[in-house]
């Protein structure tokens, strides 16, 4: 009972599982960093762990929806944060030059990302971390700065491999978006209203966005096809409601089928029955075709997982 209430509370505030996944990964990385700190004992350990671990938060942004891109972005982050710390630490006592260097470096970073504005927040994070690093790296001594940069790189490599060995849990985000997509379609059909249409489209976009992160799973192709079919369902259901060409009982039949599939997905089990279609309802021909493909792809996903 307590666990059920906790799960419902988490689902209300974290509907797509993003925060839970981030929390698990950060806790895991933190444990690895504390072990590394105990073995290596770097100077200003808390700052070095922060600089090396912050990249994990960056690569888990929803807009970074490719596994190889996550790896490459983290490695690029380490190079940039080392350059930032090195530059800021070298000019910190030269007040006028420090402002020039910091402004110029900011311009360079924004210019480098001008074709990818979704990554602009990363620049702000890097500059903030660079300023924070001055608390420890303010001696201006070249060898002192270099020594600390080596520790950052060392810890960053540990974090990188910890990230690589972290279990792929992105399917939980996909399943959460999928079940909400189906529930939204059900509500549209039950209420015969498109008030939920924008929210349903958002659920489908989230499922589509994260499905690319499942490409190393055996069921990647099927998961992409399920997501695409639900996108088609959105336009199909919207058309039925807006044009009012289908009677309410037939809309309820569609909603019932989607509800059965949603229950199967929540239980992570096969679709419970053989779907024969509604041959006496010509208005549901598209539903017969789409739903047959939908539950068959879901059953294939279950067979892949259980094999």
């Amino acid at each position: 009972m307590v666990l059920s209430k906790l799960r419902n509370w988490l689902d209300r505030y974290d509907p797509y599982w993003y925060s839970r996944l981030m929390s698990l990964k950060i806790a895991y990385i933190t444990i690895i960093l504390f072990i590394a700190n105990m073995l290596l004992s770097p100077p200003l350990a808390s700052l070095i762990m922060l600089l090396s671990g912050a990249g994990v938060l960056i690569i888990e942004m929803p807009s970074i929806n490719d596994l190889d891109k996550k790896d490459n972005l983290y490695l690029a982050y380490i190079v940039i944060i080392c350059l930032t710390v090195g530059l800021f630490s070298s000019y910190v006592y030269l007040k006028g030059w420090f402002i020039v260097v910091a402004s110029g470096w900011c311009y360079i970073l924004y210019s480098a990302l001008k074709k990818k504005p979704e990554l602009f927040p990363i620049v702000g994070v890097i500059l903030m971390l660079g300023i924070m690093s001055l608390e420890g790296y303010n001696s201006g001594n070249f060898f002192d700065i270099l020594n600390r940069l080596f520790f950052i790189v060392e810890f960053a490599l540990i974090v990188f491999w910890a990230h690589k060995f972290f279990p792929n849990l992105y399917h939980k985000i996909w399943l959460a978006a999928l079940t909400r997509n189906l529930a939204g379609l059900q509500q549209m059909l039950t209420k015969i209203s498109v008030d939920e249409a924008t929210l349903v489209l958002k659920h489908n976009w989230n499922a589509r966005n994260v499905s690319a992160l499942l490409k190393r799973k055996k069921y990647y192709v099927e998961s992409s096809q399920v997501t695409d079919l639900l996108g088609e369902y959105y336009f199909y259901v919207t058309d039925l409601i807006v044009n009012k060409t289908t009677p309410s009982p037939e809309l309820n039949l569609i909603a019932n089928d989607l509800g059965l599939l949603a229950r199967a997905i929540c239980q992570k089990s096969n679709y419970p029955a053989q779907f024969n279609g509604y041959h006496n309802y010509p208005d549901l021909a598209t539903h017969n075709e789409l739903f047959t493909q939908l539950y068959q792809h879901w059953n294939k996903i279950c067979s892949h997982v259980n094999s």
Side-chain angles (χ1 to χ4, degrees), residues 9-293:
W9 182 83
L10 289 172
D11 284 340
R12 188 161 62 251
Y13 292 101
D14 181 29
Y16 298 119
W17 240 85
Y18 277 114
S19 297
R20 278 169 278 186
L21 176 61
M22 182 74 75
S23 299
L24 287 172
K25 194 163 189 177
I26 289 301
Y28 161 77
I29 294 292
T30 301
I31 293 170
I32 297 294
L33 283 172
F34 273 111
I35 294 172
N37 174 56
M38 185 172 59
L39 297 174
L40 300 174
S41 300
L44 294 166
S46 58
L47 190 56
I48 288 176
M49 289 192 290
L50 173 64
L51 294 175
S52 57
V56 175
L57 295 172
I58 291 173
I59 65 175
E60 290 302 335
M61 292 192 305
S63 57
I64 314 299
N65 62 343
D66 181 88
L67 294 173
D68 293 331
K69 189 185 293 184
K70 286 180 183 292
D71 294 345
N72 295 334
L73 183 60
Y74 183 79
L75 295 174
Y77 161 80
I78 293 304
V79 172
I80 294 171
I81 198 65
C82 285
L83 289 172
T84 303
V85 170
L87 283 171
F88 284 15
S89 301
S90 300
Y91 288 90
V92 65
Y93 287 120
L94 305 173
K95 303 301 182 184
W97 279 107
F98 177 78
I99 295 173
V100 173
V101 169
S103 301
W105 185 235
C106 179
Y107 174 78
I108 290 171
L109 292 177
Y110 276 116
S111 297
L113 295 175
K114 64 182 179 181
K115 293 184 179 179
K116 296 184 177 180
E118 69 274 11
L119 299 180
F120 278 178
I122 296 175
V123 177
V125 172
I126 289 172
L127 294 174
M128 179 189 69
L129 292 173
I131 295 296
M132 291 173 63
S133 71
L134 297 178
E135 179 67 24
Y137 304 137
N138 56 4
S139 68
N141 182 281
F142 172 77
F143 292 104
D144 184 46
I145 295 170
L146 190 62
N147 178 57
R148 287 167 172 80
L149 290 179
F150 277 132
F151 271 112
I152 293 174
V153 171
E154 192 172 21
F155 271 68
L157 290 175
I158 292 171
V159 170
F160 176 75
W161 285 109
H163 148 73
K164 293 289 287 181
F165 284 111
F166 187 76
N168 187 330
L169 299 177
Y170 297 111
H171 64 279
K172 291 186 175 293
I173 299 174
W174 181 72
L175 286 172
L178 208 63
T179 53
R180 280 162 177 75
N181 195 342
L182 287 166
L185 289 170
Q186 272 187 280
Q187 287 189 13
M188 288 175 64
L189 291 163
T190 303
K191 297 177 180 178
I192 315 180
S193 168
V194 292
D195 292 343
E196 299 285 327
T198 302
L199 192 57
V200 170
L201 198 59
K202 177 186 174 183
H203 297 323
N204 187 256
W205 181 89
N206 276 284
R208 191 181 304 275
N209 185 60
V210 80
S211 63
L213 295 169
L214 304 178
K215 67 179 183 181
R216 294 178 188 172
K217 299 282 191 180
K218 292 184 291 185
Y219 51 81
Y220 168 64
V221 174
E222 287 78 13
S223 65
S224 297
Q225 289 170 333
V226 167
T227 306
D228 291 341
L229 284 169
L230 283 178
E232 292 184 43
Y233 249 111
Y234 164 78
F235 293 107
Y236 169 60
V237 169
T238 302
D239 180 67
L240 290 180
I241 294 171
V242 170
N243 293 324
K244 299 179 180 179
T245 56
T246 305
S248 177
E250 297 182 19
L251 295 181
N252 288 332
L253 290 174
I254 300 175
N256 182 64
D257 288 336
L258 294 178
L260 289 174
L261 181 60
R263 192 174 303 118
I265 291 174
C266 288
Q267 296 171 352
K268 299 181 178 64
S269 60
N270 285 331
Y271 180 72
Q274 183 67 33
F275 178 73
N276 296 316
Y278 303 105
H279 301 295
N280 297 327
Y281 297 92
D283 290 342
L284 300 185
T286 302
H287 168 65
N288 293 340
E289 179 184 351
L290 289 176
F291 190 75
T292 300
Q293 296 178 56

